[in-house]
Amino acid sequence: MRSDVVKRGLQRAPHRALLHAVGLKRDDFDKPFIGVINSYSSLVPGHVHLRTIAEAVAQGVREAGGVPFEFNTIVVCDGVAMGHRGMHYSLPSREIIADSVEIVAEAHALDGLVLITNCDKVTPGMLMAAARLDLPTIVVTGGPMLSGWFRGRKVGTSAMFEAIGRVKAGELSEEELAELETLACPTCGSCNGLYTANTMACLTEALGLSLPGSATPPANTSRRISIALASGKRAVDLVREGLTASKILTKKAFENAIRVDLALGGSTNAVLHLMAVAKEAGIDLSLDDFDRLSRETPQLSELIPSGPYDMEDLDRAGGIPAVMKTLEPLLNLDALTVTGKTIGENIANAKRLDEKIIRPLENPIRRSGGIAVLWGNLAPRGAVLKTAGVPKSMMKFKRKARVFDCEEDAVKALMNREIEAGEVVVIRYEGPKGGPGMREMLAPTGALVGLGLVEKVALITDGRFSGATRGLCIGHVSPEAAEGGPIAVLRDGDIIEIDVLGRILRVELDEEEIRKRLRSWHPPKPKIGKGYLLRYSLGVTSADTGAIFSEVEHQKAK
């Protein structure tokens, strides 16, 4: 076993002594050492219950004849970090999470890993670590929050952000807002709809790195404990079988995950995260793959925030096994999973239990998937759009630009009613380098909805959007403004053309005018000139690569 390097032979007597100090007995040195990596935090609703999950995982490891060692990594709650300086740290936390798992697993020569995760950047960070380390690994997600109820309708986090605009528009009183605050998030778990956290949980299952049926059971159900126990047991078997992450994270597995994302209409952040995980796994994955598969894959579900159904509804309809069973003709059924079986074997008996929630292939919501990649002279290296949230009236949109150099200025203009119907709001210098950290734009998109402008105003950014976003909202514009992309030289009044079906994002300027403007453009100084975010901004690459650290840039950052 890999852990023999710290527990076998005369030279390892000091190591064994230290391990006796944490409670190991002599016969434990013959067992697989399993790292149980927990992202528990009492600050984050998606993670506040993960101690209980970890206890069940550890029990499963012991029952299967392994030795569990628990350690923690960090977590940022995007909802709490949203709209202020804290959001600069959300995406960058993904790299720290991946690095921290790598450091402890390598320093202690662990044989296998159970990764306990839930929220937006923790799941992709842990997946990146799994791909990088290539150990026997299984992922346990913490499950979604139940929906709240307010005045006869389901509510959750996105309802709170949209409510701010509704108060400003006079549609909701501050007393009603205070009541909504107490009802919107009634349980632990990741936010109730198909936001980034639940999107990534679904895609982890689709990749084959978590047990079938793991993604959708609510966080506060006993099924979560059963899944955790079974996952702990399976981790030990993975070590004995030599089934490592690289045997699961193949190009076929990534294509399966992308198709599931498209069928569900998941968060655009999945594009960033899947490309980052693929890079760690040595798999060539690009925006072209997402767009190609989107043209072939129908959207089968409309989940909150783009539709009426929540994660509990998806679970009741059969969860990800039912989604994949429906997509069966389009999937790579021979892709291997942590069960030791293929996707095809795992879903052989899966059933779609509610055709309103998971539509059949012959009766989809849309003939193409829920994400589109747009190109043009405004996004030479691409931009990403969640088509599941776009009003039909805005599939083509050609209007004048209102340009802002940060999120705060755009939100201020919206709340002061300075944005007119029929404009394109452009928020730049919010990309991976320029942000730094590529902040999510839930505050402006929530304001658009609350102010009744979601079908009248488009939004474009080199930053990114929350999974809670709906409307004609285009993110990940690459190259970003801080790299000298064309978005850096847009001016108020420039005419922007958006054609979702034609995959076009362009500004009505000829190439000479763009070059002329760029010649007089100068790179801005980093917005944050110290600490981790400065190092991050120096090392991170563009959104079209997954906002990863390249080896060259990483050396510069060091």
Side-chain angles (χ1 to χ4, degrees), residues 135-151:
L135 295 173
T137 303
I138 192 166
V139 179
V140 180
T141 49
M145 182 185 292
L146 296 180
S147 294
W149 285 87
F150 180 72
R151 308 293 166 85

Side-chain angles (χ1 to χ4, degrees), residues 65-100:
V67 182
F69 294 97
E70 185 178 352
F71 60 94
N72 281 76
T73 188
I74 63 170
V75 55
V76 170
C77 178
D78 279 29
V80 175
M82 193 75 65
H84 59 89
R85 181 184 174 92
M87 183 45 71
H88 288 291
Y89 289 88
S90 175
L91 182 60
S93 74
R94 185 186 72 178
E95 314 309 312
I96 290 179
I97 291 160
D99 291 350
S100 67

Side-chain angles (χ1 to χ4, degrees), residues 250 258 355 421:
T250 62
I258 292 170
E355 293 196 354

Side-chain angles (χ1 to χ4, degrees), residues 211-544:
L211 294 178
S214 292
T216 56
N220 61 346
T221 59
S222 60
R223 288 164 63 199
R224 280 282 143 211
I225 305 303
S226 298
I227 291 166
L229 182 68
S231 297
K233 292 179 178 178
R234 184 61 192 151
V236 178
D237 292 337
L238 290 174
V239 173
R240 291 170 175 154
E241 295 166 14
L243 181 51
T244 65
S246 65
K247 296 174 183 176
I248 295 169
L249 292 174
T250 62
K251 183 65 177 280
K252 289 181 177 181
F254 281 99
E255 289 181 344
N256 286 344
I258 292 170
R259 287 197 190 274
V260 168
D261 187 34
L262 296 167
L264 292 173
S267 168
T268 53
N269 287 318
V271 178
L272 281 177
H273 298 324
L274 285 178
M275 286 200 295
V277 178
K279 176 67 175 178
E280 295 285 359
I283 302 297
D284 182 20
L285 195 67
S286 70
L287 289 178
D288 290 323
D289 291 305
F290 285 86
D291 196 59
R292 170 179 58 84
L293 294 170
S294 182
R295 294 174 187 274
E296 303 169 1
T297 309
Q299 184 185 340
L300 304 177
S301 295
E302 282 189 306
L303 302 174
I304 293 171
S306 302
Y309 303 112
D310 61 13
M311 292 301 295
E312 186 181 9
D313 292 323
L314 180 60
D315 184 60
R316 179 170 51 81
I320 299 308
V323 174
M324 298 188 83
K325 184 68 174 179
T326 307
L327 291 171
E328 191 170 26
L330 302 176
L331 296 180
N332 298 305
L333 298 176
D334 57 342
L336 192 60
T337 75
V338 288
T339 64
K341 300 177 181 178
T342 64
I343 284 288
E345 291 171 314
N346 285 348
I347 65 172
N349 297 316
K351 291 186 171 73
R352 187 174 60 248
L353 303 177
D354 190 328
E355 293 196 354
K356 297 191 298 295
I357 298 167
I358 305 171
R359 298 271 197 97
L361 274 180
E362 60 272 15
N363 183 32
I365 293 156
R366 292 181 179 86
R367 294 291 172 187
S368 60
I371 289 176
V373 181
L374 310 185
W375 284 274
N377 65 356
L378 188 51
R381 300 210 307 257
V384 178
L385 168 70
K386 182 176 178 177
T387 59
V390 179
K392 291 181 180 179
S393 61
M394 298 183 74
M395 298 299 279
K396 286 189 176 183
F397 198 77
K398 187 175 181 181
R399 299 290 191 274
K400 65 180 181 179
R402 285 289 304 280
V403 183
F404 301 91
D405 286 345
C406 66
E407 177 191 10
E408 289 82 357
D409 289 350
V411 172
K412 182 179 179 181
L414 280 164
M415 299 308 285
N416 288 340
R417 302 298 191 90
E418 296 170 8
I419 303 298
E420 298 178 4
E423 291 186 319
V424 179
V425 174
V426 177
I427 306 177
R428 64 190 177 193
Y429 295 108
E430 291 288 3
K433 286 182 180 294
M438 203 179 183
R439 292 190 291 176
E440 288 187 344
M441 302 288 156
L442 185 52
T445 58
L448 285 177
V449 175
L451 291 167
L453 294 173
V454 72
E455 296 190 20
K456 301 171 184 176
V457 171
L459 200 158
I460 296 172
T461 182
D462 55 4
R464 61 196 176 90
F465 294 113
S466 163
T469 294
R470 54 193 175 108
L472 182 52
C473 299
I474 301 168
H476 306 199
V477 171
S478 298
E480 64 175 287
E483 286 188 329
I487 192 173
V489 295
L490 282 181
R491 297 172 183 168
D492 285 349
D494 286 342
I495 302 300
I496 293 176
E497 177 188 0
I498 303 166
D499 183 346
V500 176
L501 296 180
R503 302 298 201 259
I504 293 170
L505 176 61
R506 62 180 300 274
V507 56
E508 287 195 341
L509 297 173
D510 60 37
E511 292 305 311
E512 179 53 37
E513 175 62 19
I514 293 174
R515 283 194 294 269
K516 177 183 174 182
R517 293 187 187 185
L518 283 171
R519 282 194 293 269
S520 62
W521 172 85
H522 300 286
K525 291 182 179 180
K527 290 181 184 176
I528 298 175
K530 62 180 181 179
Y532 176 60
L533 288 179
L534 175 60
R535 299 196 302 275
Y536 180 84
S537 68
L538 293 172
V540 72
T541 61
S542 175
D544 66 299

